[in-house]
Amino acid sequence: MKKFFQIFMFLLAFQVEVRVRASADTLQEPAACLKSSESCALHVVGPAFHLKQGNLKIHAGEKSTLVRLSQEKWRLVKGVLWVESAPGVQVETPFMTAKSSHGQYWIIERGEKQIVRNIDAELHVVLRDGKKLEVPGGFEFWVSGINSKGKNEFGMIQTVDLKDHLLQWNQLFVGTKEQFKSEVSHLRGNWADLSERGASLYEKIALRQLASVEEARRIEEEKKREAQAERQKTRELMFQRAFDR
C-alpha cells in the first residue's frame, strides 16, 4: 500500500503542470482595504488570490468571495480557500467555523456542500448546530446546511482524496514545478501511514458508536424501570386509600 502511494504521488507530481503566479486580480470593497485594518470584502476575478500579511498566508480560487471581518476573523462566502498559515485566525462559512493554532487546511465548496480538508493543522471545527469536530491531519469530511431537525448534515471523517487534492493544490500553488515536486515528496513522508491511521480512526469511530448505542439502551432501560416503579407506587397508594375509607 505504501509503495503504491509513493508511486501515485510522484506520477501525479510529474504529470501536473504547475503554474507560477505572483498575484491575482480582485474586487475589493472598500477599495484597497487590504492595505488598512478595515473590514474588507473580496471577490477573486483572476485565476487565484494570494495574501501574505505577517503570519497570515491564505490563497483563494477563482470566483471565490471572502470577507475580512477583523485581523483574527475571516469569512468564506463561496469558493475555495487554502489556509496555508493562520495561527489563531478563525475562518467561518455558512455551515461552520474553523480554527487552528498552526498548520494548513482547505475549505472547498462542492455544490451544496463544503469539504473541510486538514493537511497538517491542529484543526478544530464547530458546526453551526454547535457540534465540535477535531479533524486529524490527512483527513477530510463534508458538511452542508441545517436539516429539519436543526442539525448540520455532515459526512464521516475519511482520508484525503489525494488525486483531487493535488489538482486543487496545483490551481493555487505559487512556485516552480521542482518546488511542487519537493512539496509533494514532503507530503508523502508525512502521510506514509495514512491508510493505517485511517483504519485506526474508523475502528475508534465504530467503537464510539457502539458505546453510544449501549449508553442509549441503558438510559432507555433506566427510564422504563423508573416508569414501572412510579406505576407500582401509584397502584400501592390507590390501594392504601381504598382501604383507608
Side-chain angles (χ1 to χ4, degrees), residues 52-79:
K52 187 178 188 306
Q53 289 183 339
N55 293 326
L56 178 68
K57 195 172 184 180
I58 60 175
H59 315 266
E62 186 176 7
K63 298 182 180 179
S64 297
T65 302
L66 298 168
V67 179
R68 186 186 66 190
L69 302 172
S70 68
Q71 295 294 337
E72 294 77 31
K73 183 181 291 187
W74 284 73
R75 176 182 297 150
L76 174 64
V77 179
K78 61 174 295 185

Side-chain angles (χ1 to χ4, degrees), residues 114-183:
Q114 287 178 336
I115 296 174
V116 181
R117 177 173 293 168
N118 187 9
I119 306 305
D120 58 4
E122 185 180 345
L123 184 59
H124 302 277
V125 177
V126 181
L127 304 187
R128 278 285 172 263
D129 63 11
K131 185 176 181 60
K132 298 180 180 180
L133 297 173
E134 293 189 9
V135 188
F139 291 82
E140 65 184 27
F141 75 98
W142 63 262
V143 59
S144 61
I146 300 292
N147 60 25
S148 59
K149 297 180 180 179
K151 300 292 183 181
N152 278 99
E153 299 283 353
F154 65 96
M156 187 176 70
I157 295 175
Q158 59 186 7
T159 54
V160 167
D161 182 336
L162 298 175
K163 183 177 180 180
D164 180 73
H165 177 61
L166 289 181
L167 293 175
Q168 293 288 337
W169 197 5
N170 169 54
Q171 295 297 318
L172 299 185
F173 188 79
V174 179
T176 65
K177 184 174 181 179
E178 288 69 27
Q179 289 172 331
F180 185 74
K181 286 159 53 179
S182 176
E183 291 290 333

Side-chain angles (χ1 to χ4, degrees), residues 65-104:
T65 302
L66 298 168
V67 179
R68 186 186 66 190
L69 302 172
S70 68
Q71 295 294 337
E72 294 77 31
K73 183 181 291 187
W74 284 73
R75 176 182 297 150
L76 174 64
V77 179
K78 61 174 295 185
V80 175
L81 178 66
W82 169 20
V83 180
E84 187 172 2
S85 174
V89 174
Q90 177 177 294
V91 177
E92 65 176 43
T93 80
F95 305 145
M96 52 88 188
T97 60
K99 192 172 184 179
S100 175
S101 59
H102 66 271
Q104 55 180 311

Side-chain angles (χ1 to χ4, degrees), residues 103-117:
Q104 55 180 311
Y105 62 94
W106 292 64
I107 303 174
I108 304 166
E109 185 179 64
R110 289 283 167 78
E112 299 299 317
K113 301 177 180 179
Q114 287 178 336
I115 296 174
V116 181
R117 177 173 293 168

